[in-house]
Amino acid sequence: MDVKNFVTDVVVIGGGGAACRAAIEASERGMNCIMVDKGRPGRSGATPCALWSIQAPFGPRGRDERDSPEQFFEDMVRAGRFIGDQNITEIVAFTACDRILDMERYGVKFKKYDDGRFYQTPMPGQTYPRSTFMYENGQHMSTVLAEEVSRHDSIEVFKDFFAFSLLLNDGRVVGIMGLDMLSGDVLTINAKATVLATGGYTSLWGFSDNPPTLTGDGVAMAYRAGAELVDLEFNQYYGTDVIWPPSVRGTVVLYELMIEEFANGEITDRNGTSIIDKPLPIRDEAIKIIFNVIREGRGTEHGGVFFDTTKSPKGEAAVRDVFDTMTPKHYHFLIDAAGIDLAKVPLEVAPASHYQCGGVYINERGESNLPGFYACGECAGNFQGANRLAGSALCDTQTMGAQVGGCAADDAKKLDLLPPDKKNVKDQMDIIQSFLSDKKSTQRPIFLKEEILKAMDKYVAPFRDGKGLKQGLGIISSLRDEIKKISIPDIGRYNLELREAVESLLALDAAEVTIGSALFREESRGHHNRTDFPETDNSNWRCHTIVVKKGDHQAAYSKRDVIYTRLKPEDK
Amino acid sequence: MNGVIKAKIYRFNPDKDKEPYYKNYEIPVDREVTVHELLSIIHRDYDGTLAYRTFKCYKGMCSTCIVKLNGQSVRSCATPLKIDSEITLEPVKGGRVIRDLVVDFDKM
Ligand SMILES: Cc1cc2nc3c(=O)[nH]c(=O)nc-3n(C[C@H](O)[C@H](O)[C@H](O)COP(=O)(O)OP(=O)(O)OC[C@H]3O[C@@H](n4cnc5c(N)ncnc54)[C@H](O)[C@@H]3O)c2cc1C
Ligand code: FES
């Protein structure tokens, strides 16, 4: 198989909010950019799935004049249970408003008061109402960002491009290798700086509200090249995703809409008894309540709880209006696909995998431990800590997207283009070759992937213990033997099975280090609840978990201090 | 409730096939499924070579899943099929067919 080669200054992997913003910034600083996306920018990743909510502390320019970047910073640090690095949190908190104004300039429509101030909704964990409101939600945001990208001549977009490995020159990252699904060709992109913006990998769990394409390619690529990963045990579940009927399983319905200002409904057990008190708790606490109700046997027929607005004192019409204006797409989708009107019937919902707080370890410039390699957005790790607040993730994509894209461009200006090592290119090519043959397959990637997802659901749920985690690791290691049996006919373009095979290979690494990180942290905090270590242990574990590759399938785990700049934990 | 969905699906790999052709599938189901679910079932259990877009936004909004169902463009994730229906699925118009139901997005 021939390999075609492309050359650029900055290559950005991804087409979601973070990737688009990083590419825009790199281009505006005068660099040429190639942006590659497994799907199509604007219609891929988690960004189009998102809701209206993007936090920015507008203060007097928004809903509550008392709000400030300082308060935003503090809210995020506390919600993250003091595990987020504050050098990064500062950038997010203090540049959020400017980045929202950029978005507005690109064409994102925000709801405003008549006098021009930003309308903002209250969400749990925000001291003052801070979520600015995007009409048409995340799909609108991602479409507008993708359009802005296309206005930049110095950004070239490769869509339907599945990146599967980083290229190295003596330890420096010098670009990527990937499969062009449109032609079936393998391509390399040689670059001075490489920015990872592949999003989270919450679809490594079977029950997730994220696109099924996100199973850990990005972090696994980084890990295989030698990058440090951080805090992977903090995978955030969201409390109320549809569990029944199957045709709409995984669609998110927001428990945050249950407050008096909005739908004023309840999350209830099977008997209709309300289980979550108001004011609503933040996500890690909400999850625990819901899980406990289900574990105690008070759940619904299909293992969930009810999302019920039918008894709202506001009445059906007013409730419908809330869904129709705040989450219009989700509301109508449930009607179209399954005939379910949220304002009329209680819906069965349960906690599903939603957001990965961990990821690639970066500093405030987005640099990883590997020279030439940067990360931003959900695939970067050490900002959210043990839990995240509603509306902080989209904000992160814009603030850190711009910051990291800019720093990568500044560095690229000073660097020469180095070619990848020949042996490195051959090794990465072998990943593809190993799967391609005309032998009759004895194992299909789709089934192998299902096994991985099942193991994650079963052993790496928000409540986990050492014994189960070890069983999970055992499964992953036995699947490594199975993956060798995969053989796929070389049918050229859009070879879905070939993509699935490589995804499975990467997913095995992502699963192994995620389970390993959860096993390493012997305490409970945020979204990581070890039933065998139920207490939060600040003296030993108020720190990061770092994992880095040492040899073949040998992961080394260690602790690292959290960076505190403005707000130290009180008890120190 | 059990039944069978009969699906006639457009197949074309421009690298190998001179002409597009249709392949028939009979898929047993025990409930109403969406078109997108049907495609996943076919790809998983009957024919791994069938190419379609696997991305899912869960809210009927991204349009990556659009296909032609009996001549009409629909969002496959938001379109339920009755048990025992007989359908034809084709790529939507407006873009180059990459393979089977996958269309290049450029002009969409
Ligand atoms: C249902 C839902 C609702 C949400 N609501 C909100 C909200 O209201 N507010 C909020 O702040 N956050 C919300 N979030 C979280 C937020 O949407 C995400 O954290 C954020 O969009 C991540 O952006 P990103 O750019 O980092 O990654 P993504 O948007 O996930 O993009 C990742 C990109 O990388 C590409 N990619 C992945 N792997 C590869 C590969 N191997 N090769 C090439 N390309 C690749 C993907 O195709 C995609 O383009 C929500 C998430 C979900 C799932
Ligand atoms: S998957 Fe997004 S519209 Fe169907």
Side-chain angles (χ1 to χ4, degrees):
Chain A
M1 198 184 258
D2 288 342
V3 181
K4 290 188 188 145
N5 187 31
F6 292 79
V7 168
T8 189
D9 296 319
V10 179
V11 62
V12 179
I13 317 170
C20 289
R21 192 60 187 83
I24 292 167
E25 194 67 22
S27 153
E28 287 181 351
R29 299 208 188 170
M31 289 291 95
N32 287 317
C33 226
I34 292 181
M35 187 169 117
V36 303
D37 186 350
K38 201 170 173 179
R40 176 198 182 181
R43 293 163 195 265
S44 63
T47 309
C49 304
L51 297 138
W52 72 82
S53 148
I54 174 163
Q55 288 203 60
F58 274 113
R61 290 178 289 166
R63 175 160 164 174
D64 193 317
E65 61 182 14
R66 289 169 298 176
D67 202 13
S68 62
E70 286 81 359
Q71 189 63 55
F72 183 19
F73 174 88
E74 185 175 333
D75 289 352
M76 284 192 282
V77 167
R78 292 193 187 284
R81 313 289 175 200
F82 283 95
I83 303 262
D85 278 348
Q86 298 184 1
N87 52 341
I88 302 173
T89 316
E90 273 189 20
I91 292 172
V92 175
F94 285 83
T95 62
C97 295
D98 288 342
R99 296 295 81 81
I100 300 281
L101 295 175
D102 289 346
M103 285 169 69
E104 199 174 28
R105 202 159 40 80
Y106 303 150
V108 176
K109 293 203 174 51
F110 289 94
K111 187 167 173 180
K112 298 278 188 73
Y113 294 105
D114 288 343
D115 61 3
R117 284 175 303 127
F118 280 88
Y119 169 80
Q120 291 176 298
T121 61
M123 301 290 247
Q126 301 177 351
T127 302
Y128 306 110
R130 191 181 294 128
S131 281
T132 59
F133 188 100
M134 295 184 287
Y135 288 110
E136 308 254 310
N137 303 172
Q139 178 67 63
H140 169 61
M141 165 180 172
S142 55
T143 315
V144 169
L145 278 164
E147 279 165 8
E148 180 64 20
V149 164
S150 66
R151 283 192 277 270
H152 288 252
D153 291 338
S154 52
I155 307 175
E156 201 179 342
V157 176
F158 290 18
K159 55 192 164 26
D160 286 307
F161 181 102
F162 168 45
F164 61 84
S165 73
L166 300 178
L167 297 173
L168 295 170
N169 175 316
D170 196 19
R172 164 176 282 279
V173 174
V174 292
I176 60 172
M177 180 182 275
L179 182 63
D180 175 15
M181 295 295 287
L182 298 181
S183 64
D185 294 334
V186 173
L187 310 184
T188 60
I189 298 172
N190 189 194
K192 295 174 186 167
T194 301
V195 179
L196 190 77
T198 48
Y201 59 90
T202 49
S203 295
L204 192 59
W205 283 256
F207 185 31
S208 166
D209 56 18
N210 272 251
T213 45
L214 299 180
T215 51
D217 312 336
V219 290
M221 262 187 272
Y223 171 72
R224 292 163 84 94
E228 291 172 340
L229 306 181
V230 58
D231 296 344
L232 303 179
E233 63 275 31
F234 297 114
N235 182 59
Q236 176 178 65
Y237 269 51
Y238 187 77
T240 51
D241 291 308
V242 179
I243 193 165
W244 192 262
S247 55
V248 289
R249 187 179 150 94
T251 294
V252 70
V253 289
L254 285 199
Y255 82 94
E256 284 99 341
L257 282 177
M258 292 308 197
I259 62 172
E260 209 180 312
E261 179 172 335
F262 304 141
N264 204 2
E266 304 290 343
I267 307 299
T268 78
D269 65 9
R270 65 187 306 155
N271 303 318
T273 310
S274 171
I275 57 170
I276 299 189
D277 295 337
K278 295 172 191 169
L280 297 172
I282 59 176
R283 291 177 174 181
D284 53 357
E285 289 163 18
I287 287 284
K288 278 178 222 168
I289 297 169
I290 296 172
F291 256 102
N292 281 331
V293 165
I294 296 170
R295 285 202 303 188
E296 287 160 13
R298 290 158 59 206
T300 59
E301 187 185 348
H302 301 99
V305 294
F306 283 121
F307 181 96
D308 188 355
T309 57
T310 58
K311 295 177 202 74
S312 166
K314 296 193 139 177
E316 191 183 310
V319 168
R320 174 166 303 113
D321 196 49
V322 166
F323 290 129
D324 215 5
T325 48
M326 302 200 63
T327 60
K329 301 301 161 192
H330 296 81
Y331 177 62
H332 289 283
F333 173 65
L334 291 173
I335 295 176
D336 292 347
I340 292 168
D341 184 343
L342 265 188
K344 270 202 178 127
V345 285
L347 188 61
E348 280 184 72
V349 296
S353 169
H354 176 70
Y355 180 89
Q356 177 49 280
C357 296
V360 177
Y361 184 85
I362 57 167
N363 65 13
E364 67 281 0
R365 300 182 75 247
E367 294 167 295
S368 70
N369 61 314
L370 301 177
F373 185 54
Y374 306 73
C376 59
E378 196 176 329
C379 69
N382 34 327
F383 144 63
Q384 302 278 11
N387 179 31
R388 86 162 169 96
L389 288 178
S392 66
L394 291 178
C395 180
D396 172 47
T397 67
Q398 297 310 290
T399 50
M400 286 305 283
Q403 164 78 357
V404 176
C407 292
D410 291 347
D411 295 349
K413 279 180 205 164
K414 296 180 228 138
L415 291 168
D416 292 328
L417 187 72
L418 298 175
D421 300 328
K422 284 224 167 60
K423 165 146 187 346
N424 182 244
V425 174
K426 189 189 163 301
D427 288 349
Q428 305 313 317
M429 240 341 252
D430 286 348
I431 295 180
I432 292 278
Q433 296 291 9
S434 67
F435 290 122
L436 282 179
S437 85
D438 289 332
K439 278 186 310 199
K440 185 121 189 63
S441 327
T442 52
Q443 175 61 271
R444 283 191 54 211
I446 195 163
F447 296 123
L448 197 129
K449 207 195 251 175
E450 280 174 11
E451 293 303 313
I452 305 175
L453 270 52
K454 257 193 247 161
M456 295 303 284
D457 279 340
K458 182 154 181 206
Y459 300 114
V460 205
F463 289 92
R464 44 193 76 161
D465 62 29
K467 188 164 157 250
L469 291 165
K470 283 183 191 140
Q471 277 172 295
L473 278 181
I475 293 173
I476 298 305
S477 115
S478 66
L479 291 174
R480 287 199 190 278
D481 296 326
E482 287 302 302
I483 200 162
K484 296 188 188 124
K485 298 181 193 156
I486 291 178
S487 92
I488 290 160
D490 184 1
I491 49 171
R493 59 172 77 190
Y494 220 91
N495 191 341
L496 205 50
E497 290 227 280
L498 179 59
R499 194 185 84 193
E500 281 164 348
V502 181
E503 283 172 344
S504 304
L505 181 75
L506 297 173
L508 283 174
D509 281 340
E512 180 188 318
V513 291
T514 305
I515 302 174
S517 300
L519 194 57
F520 182 70
R521 182 177 289 274
E522 298 186 329
E523 65 146 2
S524 292
R525 179 187 302 266
H527 286 281
H528 172 72
N529 299 287
R530 282 284 297 263
T531 51
D532 45 351
F533 296 96
E535 304 300 325
T536 299
D537 176 359
N538 283 330
S539 42
N540 290 306
W541 287 102
R542 194 157 52 209
C543 58
H544 294 301
T545 301
I546 300 284
V547 54
V548 69
K549 188 171 170 172
K550 290 262 149 60
D552 250 10
H553 308 312
Q554 278 271 343
Y557 297 89
S558 59
K559 296 181 181 180
R560 181 167 300 164
D561 286 344
V562 176
I563 297 172
Y564 299 121
T565 58
R566 296 173 159 257
L567 187 63
K568 298 208 167 38
E570 282 96 6
D571 60 5
K572 248 191 188 166
Chain B
M1 254 214 310
N2 292 315
V4 171
I5 295 179
K6 289 187 182 159
K8 185 173 134 189
I9 302 186
Y10 176 100
R11 303 297 306 266
F12 185 42
N13 179 352
D15 291 332
K16 303 232 148 98
D17 306 324
K18 282 208 190 76
E19 293 287 332
Y21 61 98
Y22 288 84
K23 194 162 169 186
N24 292 306
Y25 300 89
E26 294 196 4
I27 309 298
V29 288
D30 56 7
R31 59 177 173 88
E32 281 192 3
V33 295
T34 61
V35 176
H36 201 265
E37 285 183 286
L38 182 78
L39 292 171
S40 319
I41 295 170
I42 295 176
H43 173 71
R44 179 186 188 276
D45 296 331
Y46 297 87
D47 187 348
T49 69
L50 175 71
Y52 72 108
R53 287 202 184 265
T54 56
F55 183 81
K56 231 161 78 179
C57 68
Y58 296 99
K59 59 179 188 180
M61 182 55 190
C62 70
S63 298
T64 57
C65 66
I66 280 196
V67 295
K68 230 157 68 172
L69 167 68
N70 301 332
Q72 285 212 323
S73 291
V74 298
R75 293 164 300 154
S76 64
C77 70
T79 309
L81 295 170
K82 294 250 166 320
I83 290 176
D84 288 332
S85 45
E86 286 187 34
I87 59 168
T88 304
L89 295 176
E90 294 162 312
V92 283
K93 286 245 159 39
R96 173 173 67 111
V97 173
I98 304 304
R99 201 153 79 82
D100 303 339
L101 299 174
V102 178
V103 173
D104 191 352
F105 277 140
D106 251 354
K107 295 188 190 61
M108 287 169 62

